[in-house]
Amino acid sequence: MELVIIAAAIMLGLGALGAAVGMGLLGGRLLEGTARQPELGPMLQGKMFLLAGLIDAIPIIGVGIAMYLIFVVAPTVGA
Amino acid sequence: MAGENPTTTEYIQHHLTNLTFGELPAGYMRDDGTVLTESMWTIAHGSSEATAMGFNAFHVDSLAWSFGLGLIFCLLFRAVAKSASSDVPGKLQNFVEIIVEFVDNNVKDMFHGRNPLVAPLALTIFVWVFLMNLMDLIPVDVVPELMMALGVPYQKIVPSTDPNVTLGMALGVFILMIYYAIKIKGVGGFVKELTLHPFNHPVFIPVNLFMELVGLLAKPFSLGLRLFGNMYAGEMIFILIAVMYSAGLFFGLFGGLLQVGWAIFHILVITLQAFIFMVLTVVYLSMSHEDH
């Protein structure tokens, strides 16, 4: 049971780590780009949302699987 | 979900089980203890029965909801298109025009080939996936409980939390990709792209083939799994917050608040995921139209 929860923790933690770095880079570059060429702002923002969705996918899938492990798999394994 | 008061695990599992219709083999002992004398087609009661049905089983709820939502989309847009006027347009016509124009602009930006199929396909995918994701915003207990009262044991109303639906759509996109790649570039061109692409030398053919095949197969797989994973995780969090309702008045109210908060955030996620599914479809199809 403990191992299942540790697995879920690793899944959540590493997923969040990677996505946070990615999001930070993405947002920073968006600001840089818009500061340099403000007229491209709306276009860049649309692209940023698309990429944010792509980055977002992996950690959120991790969250889903981790929640499943914690609340459904772990109790049945422990019992 | 056997007793009156299910445990948390049973509650979650009940919400994550599809209404499955399939064939149980002869001699199988059902959950209520009866043994089947011959194989029969029936609705599964419980996940062990659904597993025993094997590959040839239908998720009736996913099928019904996705077909129904697709029908709503087709009929609504058709009705608006038929009655479109060049006078001052009504609210519905404005709304439909905004969506069509939005998709059209995106396809024009991203798709560089010539193909009359791509823009309608993109529109269908966008609106259909959005509608399927939108079912996530209906409070998790309403429909399953209603169906329980009507005697239907399981009901999972968000079709895009069923990997069969998302991977099925991704498979459809994959077939179109292969079809257009072969149609535009010819069989020779397609094979050349697979075998001679990163390193243009006959010695590297196995390496190229391996890399390109992995890349090609990863596309539909990640496309379907991304949508499934996002919706599944969102649904999971809705269900987990709903578990709080059983912990007294204070936590119940707090859970309701959380539910609203997550639903508002989820509006962004469902739109974004529908949009991403559409964009990636268009990009993949555009890639198979590009002739080197």
Side-chain angles (χ1 to χ4, degrees), chain B residues 244-260:
Chain B
M244 287 174 71
Y245 295 156
S246 59
L249 184 67
F250 173 73
F251 276 105
L253 287 176
F254 182 59
L257 211 68
L258 280 179
Q259 202 79 289
V260 170

Side-chain angles (χ1 to χ4, degrees), chain A residues 23-65:
Chain A
M23 286 285 191
L25 282 175
L26 184 64
R29 293 287 150 81
L30 173 77
L31 288 182
E32 264 174 36
T34 9
R36 224 166 264 172
Q37 271 172 303
E39 69 276 10
L40 286 183
M43 192 266 276
L44 290 178
Q45 201 174 32
K47 294 225 158 74
M48 190 210 69
F49 271 117
L50 176 71
L51 289 172
L54 289 178
I55 294 174
D56 204 42
I58 290 119
I60 207 90
I61 292 169
V63 169
I65 299 174

Side-chain angles (χ1 to χ4, degrees), chain B residues 11 13 57 131 148 177 201 223 239-240 276:
Chain B
Y11 175 79
Q13 262 168 349
L131 283 176
M148 283 274 271
M177 275 162 61
H201 192 276
L223 185 67
I239 296 169
L240 285 175
I276 286 175

Side-chain angles (χ1 to χ4, degrees), chain B residues 5 45 66 84 115 121 125 132 150 167 211 218 226 229 278-279:
Chain B
N5 286 314
H45 292 265
S66 55
N115 193 335
L121 178 74
I125 283 180
M132 291 202 284
L150 293 173
L167 286 173
M211 280 165 63
R226 178 178 302 113
M278 178 198 91
V279 168

